[in-house]
Amino acid sequence: MTPRTTDWWRHAAIYQVYPRSFADGNGDGIGDLAGVRSRLDYLQRLGIEALWFSPWYLTPMADAGYDVTDFRQIDPRFGTLAEAEALIREAHERSIRVIVDVVPNHVSHEHEWFLKALASPPGSPERELFWFRDGRGENGELPPNEWQSIFGGPAWTRVPDGQWYLHLFAPEQPDLNWRLPAVRSEYEDVLRFWFDRGVDGIRVDSAAMCSKDPALPDYDHSVLPDPHPYVDLDENHDIYRGWRAVADSYPEPRALIGEVWLADSARFARYLRADELHAAFNFEFLGCSWDAAALRACIDQTLADHADVGAPSTWVLSNHDVTRHVTRYGRPDTSTAAGIRQYNPVVDEDLGRRRARATALLTMALPGAVYIYQGEELGLPEVEDIPADRRDDPIYHRTGGTDPGRDGCRVPLPWSGHQEPYGFSPDGAAARPWLPQPASWAHLSVAAQESDPASMLHFYREALSLRAGHPALGDGPMQWLQAPDGVLAFTRGTDFTCVMNLSGTPVALPEHRTVLLSSHPLNGTRLEAEASAWLHTT
Ligand code: TEU
Ligand code: CA
């Protein structure tokens, strides 16, 4: 591994583990920490440098663990705190850092704070921790305002004594009142709890949504309000300045990585100032069309905004909330208008996988850190045909199925074998995987791809190994090269060039000594369409 700066978050290849679907160690059909621990060698061999775990805390699983009952307990489905501490230790023994997911916007409706709030009268300090309000209408029978949940339906739920409480997500996720010092100090203590256990970073869920306008004003939903009453309020920055002070109080660098869904890139960059978050996910890039000009504009905007605040850029193609990009890139319409989550009646998976290989080389060559969602290294597609009664995502159920939700990108990984559970669970497991795996996945399993040198798995391993070993990759400058329409070409350092061909026809490669790696076999010295290549140039 090339010795690099201790600011690991500036250049690392970071792998997202969605614990529920990574590997099941005890045969109950649900992924768990034992399953992850038994596959740390696989992750080390893949060549990733850090693991981000989606929430593993005590939860009733109303929103797949993003509804947290206790941040200091591991959910029994996943294991124990001792197992989490062992996992952190075992990852560190492999020079793999660990990032845990903290959810500040809300807690579970089973969190002790909310249970006490329900048991306390209107106006009590217990209720002040949340957003309880009297309803409108003659008898308070209407919600306090017209805000809608991101998951569909109203953002308010009424409790027996007639008050309503706010939940920007599911009713099982009451929003916290971040105006209260008690909320701020509790979360800063949660950070210390995990930093004290050796965790290297925190992924901050829904980071731009914690603060609300206390007037809870209605707004015209047909236009994006400015200012917005609950997205990207200035008060959010004070929260993260407090978190940054906690992170910086540790001798070893601890990173804060924000989930900041903001289209306004300048306001997005404000979260990355030197006294706030260290990095944030680049969702503009994730949702970008399969188009050279669009990708170049997005890359330039990203680099400019991040340079302004001295933060590292990040590059990500998939996660547990969006349609897997093998499917997105295989749609007839790859425009941003096509959205990052929708039903996909027509998908050319071979085209999608070919484009995913080409884009993997782009993301791993660009300046900054790269995020890999579990199963991306296997070229997994979105699973479309999950029966309604097996779907778990509140988005699907609260939208009556108009939004497919996120189960399709959360199907348990295939490790081996020719049928479900594909080695996800131990042989003879008592239960089937919590989501059904397609009968067509046998060729996508880890075992199947281990024996195929042309597989996505081998390709990711080789790309990550080259990336880790090349001093010019990761953090640092890049230089665009002149290239034909539809082609992106840039250099890193003095001897590395990345070329990506979205032009639809083969193109000649620029001067080079050797081809380090290509996402698709070259046509002589020409780079095929829908392909990328890394070149050693001097
Ligand atoms: O997601 C925040 C969020 O806003 C996303 O739901 C996003 O708006 C949407 O999926 C984009 O299409 C975070 C977590 O990543 C998500 O899994 C949780 O459900 C959500 O917060 C609530 O905690
Ligand atoms: Ca299990």
Side-chain angles (χ1 to χ4, degrees):
M1 184 86 74
T2 308
R4 282 186 161 142
T5 62
T6 52
D7 294 353
W8 55 273
W9 62 87
R10 299 189 65 91
H11 56 71
I14 299 168
Y15 186 96
Q16 179 189 1
V17 174
Y18 188 72
R20 210 178 178 194
S21 303
F22 183 77
D24 166 21
N26 66 352
D28 64 357
I30 301 169
D32 47 43
L33 302 192
V36 179
R37 292 175 67 190
S38 68
R39 288 171 171 77
L40 282 174
D41 288 343
Y42 165 81
L43 292 165
Q44 184 175 15
R45 187 154 172 241
L46 180 59
I48 50 92
E49 299 158 85
L51 294 173
W52 151 33
F53 290 93
S54 279
W56 56 19
Y57 317 105
L58 186 64
T59 174
M61 279 286 182
D63 181 26
Y66 281 91
D67 49 317
V68 179
T69 303
D70 183 345
F71 282 100
R72 297 176 181 85
Q73 274 192 60
I74 300 298
D75 191 89
R77 296 175 188 87
F78 296 135
T80 63
L81 183 56
E83 286 183 276
E85 290 169 338
L87 173 50
I88 293 164
R89 188 174 56 253
E90 290 155 5
H92 284 169
E93 286 162 2
R94 290 169 173 79
S95 301
I96 295 174
R97 298 179 191 275
V98 174
I99 300 163
V100 296
D101 208 321
V102 170
V103 184
N105 181 68
H106 48 269
V107 291
S108 163
H109 67 133
E110 294 184 359
H111 188 285
E112 63 169 339
W113 281 7
F114 193 70
L115 298 178
K116 285 179 181 167
L118 290 177
S120 305
S124 60
E126 291 78 6
R127 292 213 166 176
E128 266 306 286
L129 287 168
F130 300 92
W131 293 93
F132 277 89
R133 288 290 186 283
D134 294 335
R136 293 172 300 167
E138 208 171 310
N139 306 304
E141 74 282 4
L142 300 175
N145 66 28
E146 296 299 318
W147 294 5
Q148 293 300 298
S149 159
I150 287 171
F151 288 171
W156 295 93
T157 292
R158 199 171 196 189
V159 297
D161 63 22
Q163 280 213 308
W164 300 71
Y165 68 88
L166 175 69
H167 50 82
L168 294 179
F169 294 97
E172 297 85 350
Q173 296 170 294
D175 280 45
L176 287 164
N177 174 2
W178 274 90
R179 297 164 62 82
L180 293 189
V183 175
R184 295 180 183 228
S185 58
E186 162 63 2
Y187 271 82
E188 289 179 7
D189 195 51
V190 166
L191 298 188
R192 289 189 192 92
F193 180 90
W194 288 104
F195 285 149
D196 291 348
R197 281 158 181 77
V199 153
D200 304 276
I202 303 287
R203 181 261 187 185
V204 185
D205 184 73
S206 308
M209 303 176 68
C210 295
S211 304
K212 279 81 176 174
D213 175 342
L216 304 176
D218 254 331
Y219 59 91
D220 173 356
H221 290 252
S222 61
V223 292
L224 199 59
D226 182 13
H228 198 294
Y230 59 80
V231 175
D232 187 29
L233 270 68
D234 290 342
E235 289 80 351
N236 288 337
H237 299 293
D238 198 40
I239 298 171
Y240 302 125
R241 281 192 278 272
W243 289 27
R244 183 59 178 259
V246 172
D248 289 350
S249 69
Y250 285 78
E252 275 292 304
R254 308 297 167 110
L256 303 172
I257 299 159
E259 183 202 30
V260 180
W261 282 93
L262 277 183
D264 179 329
S265 60
R267 289 195 64 96
F268 170 94
R270 286 153 52 110
Y271 288 83
L272 302 177
R273 289 174 291 196
D275 60 349
E276 294 189 50
L277 305 181
H278 295 77
F281 296 98
N282 186 347
F283 294 123
E284 288 307 300
F285 179 82
L286 181 151
C288 193
S289 313
W290 176 266
D291 171 85
L295 281 168
R296 166 137 187 189
C298 179
I299 293 165
D300 284 341
Q301 186 70 56
T302 297
L303 296 175
D305 290 330
H306 287 71
D308 285 350
V309 288
S313 302
T314 66
W315 311 98
V316 61
L317 297 171
S318 280
N319 63 30
H320 64 294
D321 285 333
V322 300
T323 298
R324 283 187 179 271
H325 63 281
V326 161
T327 296
R328 298 202 316 268
Y329 289 154
R331 289 170 178 160
D333 173 9
T334 64
S335 74
T336 41
I340 53 177
R341 190 175 61 239
Q342 65 164 7
Y343 287 102
N344 305 283
V346 176
V347 174
D348 176 344
E349 270 185 27
D350 290 339
L351 174 61
R353 207 159 276 124
R354 177 173 171 145
R355 287 175 166 176
R357 292 172 72 106
T359 320
L361 289 195
L362 174 69
T363 57
M364 291 186 206
L366 284 167
V370 63
Y371 286 79
I372 294 166
Y373 175 49
Q374 70 176 43
E376 166 179 342
E377 79 277 15
L378 302 176
L380 296 187
E382 187 79 3
V383 176
E384 301 292 334
D385 55 352
I386 299 173
D389 64 354
R390 297 290 302 276
R391 286 182 186 264
D392 177 75
D393 188 350
I395 290 182
Y396 175 81
H397 294 293
R398 285 176 66 88
T399 62
T402 54
D403 182 325
R406 304 162 292 178
D407 294 305
C409 68
R410 299 173 175 182
V411 172
L413 298 189
W415 292 92
S416 59
H418 300 286
Q419 61 191 8
E420 184 178 277
Y422 294 112
F424 169 72
S425 297
D427 290 344
R432 63 185 180 181
W434 71 280
L435 282 174
Q437 299 162 306
S440 61
W441 269 17
H443 72 293
L444 293 174
S445 78
V446 169
Q449 298 199 40
E450 286 285 9
S451 58
D452 172 6
S455 66
M456 186 72 90
L457 178 58
H458 280 279
F459 175 67
Y460 261 69
R461 277 185 184 147
E462 190 165 353
L464 286 167
S465 171
L466 285 168
R467 180 181 189 272
H470 199 296
L473 296 184
D475 200 7
M478 66 173 269
Q479 189 66 41
W480 290 110
L481 293 176
Q482 280 296 326
D485 282 352
V487 177
L488 297 177
F490 57 92
T491 59
R492 300 293 312 275
T494 57
D495 65 358
F496 176 93
T497 294
C498 176
V499 186
M500 183 176 185
N501 181 9
L502 301 91
S503 70
T505 56
V507 294
L509 285 172
E511 271 300 299
H512 61 279
R513 175 180 290 185
T514 51
V515 176
L516 295 169
L517 185 60
S518 63
S519 66
H520 190 79
L522 294 184
N523 171 354
T525 59
R526 297 169 71 77
L527 180 61
E528 292 281 15
E530 322 285 300
S532 294
W534 286 355
L535 308 175
H536 179 58
T537 49
T538 52

